Amino acid sequence: AQSVTQPDIHITVSEGASLELRCNYSYGATPYLFWYVQSPGQGLQLLLKYFSGDTLVQGIKGFEAEFKRSQSSFNLRKPSVHWSDAAEYFCAVGAFSGNTGKLIFGQGTTLQVKP
Amino acid sequence: GAGVSQSPSNKVTEKGKDVELRCDPISGHTALYWYRQSLGQGLEFLIYFQGNSAPDKSGLPSDRFSAERTGGSVSTLTIQRTQQEDSAVYLCASSLLGGPNYGYTFGSGTRLTVV
């Protein structure tokens, strides 16, 4: 069955520090992978996506993610966190086959940024 | 419209009442999705529309939940005989065609509270 696991429910980092949010997926075919961010009271915003090609993908707001097939992982990274990055982050895998086109989300990681 | 619009933004209802949640997707988007986000949970897929038909209803949790889409545009999610466990944020998303190469735009959601 397709699934996404985000092992860290809550992470706190200091402003200016580096960040890595973990994501592991289970999917039988080549995965389509996404990272979304949700700020309080806001809808989900796409940070980046991976479909094929270069396994290191760049996104908006200085985020990047690396696809590692051998580890079934798609971890999100940022070299220097800003206070405005505090939000909830969701990893998702796209299930595009047959009659469905849904995204399967992880449970999310809440990022708190200390001044 | 410019984005995905959901109404109402907040809804408080008494246990046992029926509720209707509305989603107005981006004009021209053929694919529409409903998700549920419960406190501390990730986003749970409910149903996927392509045009007016729903080829994937696999996420609807019970027969109290139903959804329809008319004119390939507005969708309504109906929950009958609401229960307290139905309390959640219900998110709608639309996509131009629904495949992996097309982005998803999420609405800000309807927060449903069943008392």
Side-chain angles (χ1 to χ4, degrees):
Chain A
Q2 304 139 350
S3 65
V4 176
T5 301
Q6 294 179 246
D8 306 305
I9 296 172
H10 192 276
I11 282 184
T12 300
V13 300
S14 297
E15 190 169 15
S18 64
L19 171 70
E20 183 169 30
L21 302 182
R22 295 183 292 164
C23 172
N24 293 97
Y25 67 89
S26 173
Y27 190 69
T30 300
Y32 298 94
L33 296 163
F34 304 80
W35 274 100
Y36 283 86
V37 61
Q38 185 180 38
S39 299
Q42 303 293 314
L44 275 78
Q45 181 182 22
L46 178 68
L47 286 175
L48 47 77
K49 60 186 178 184
Y50 171 79
F51 289 171
S52 63
D54 192 349
T55 56
L56 184 64
V57 293
Q58 303 297 321
I60 62 171
K61 304 184 179 186
F63 285 93
E64 66 179 26
E66 186 171 12
F67 169 61
K68 293 185 178 180
R69 184 185 298 276
S70 61
Q71 298 177 19
S72 298
S73 69
F74 188 57
N75 294 349
L76 182 71
R77 302 194 293 248
K78 186 170 185 178
S80 177
V81 170
H82 188 263
W83 64 267
S84 60
D85 293 324
E88 190 160 20
Y89 291 79
F90 292 95
C91 180
V93 62
F96 303 106
S97 62
N99 289 322
T100 192
K102 63 189 176 189
L103 296 180
I104 299 166
F105 287 87
Q107 290 191 322
T109 297
T110 300
L111 173 65
Q112 184 178 3
V113 180
K114 292 190 302 184
Chain B
V4 176
S5 178
Q6 292 188 246
S7 60
S9 55
N10 281 284
K11 176 73 176 179
V12 180
T13 189
E14 293 180 350
K15 179 180 172 182
K17 300 281 191 183
D18 298 352
V19 295
E20 285 189 351
L21 312 180
R22 176 187 168 108
C23 173
D24 204 339
I26 291 175
S27 178
H29 279 196
T30 64
L32 185 148
Y33 309 80
W34 283 99
Y35 288 86
R36 178 169 71 174
Q37 185 176 17
S38 304
L39 189 63
Q41 302 293 315
L43 280 79
E44 175 189 6
F45 168 78
L46 297 179
I47 188 169
Y48 159 56
F49 285 94
Q50 183 60 249
N52 289 338
S53 64
D56 188 352
K57 307 178 183 178
S58 62
L60 294 178
S62 75
D63 59 8
R64 296 187 296 105
F65 288 73
S66 63
E68 64 175 13
R69 189 180 185 194
T70 54
S73 181
V74 172
S75 176
T76 303
L77 176 69
T78 301
I79 309 174
Q80 296 178 311
R81 304 180 303 281
T82 52
Q83 304 294 313
Q84 287 187 330
E85 60 262 27
D86 299 333
S87 295
V89 176
Y90 290 82
L91 290 168
C92 176
S94 72
S95 176
L96 183 60
L97 291 177
N101 293 314
Y102 301 94
Y104 298 75
T105 302
F106 283 83
S108 296
T110 294
R111 181 177 298 278
L112 175 66
T113 303
V114 181
V115 298

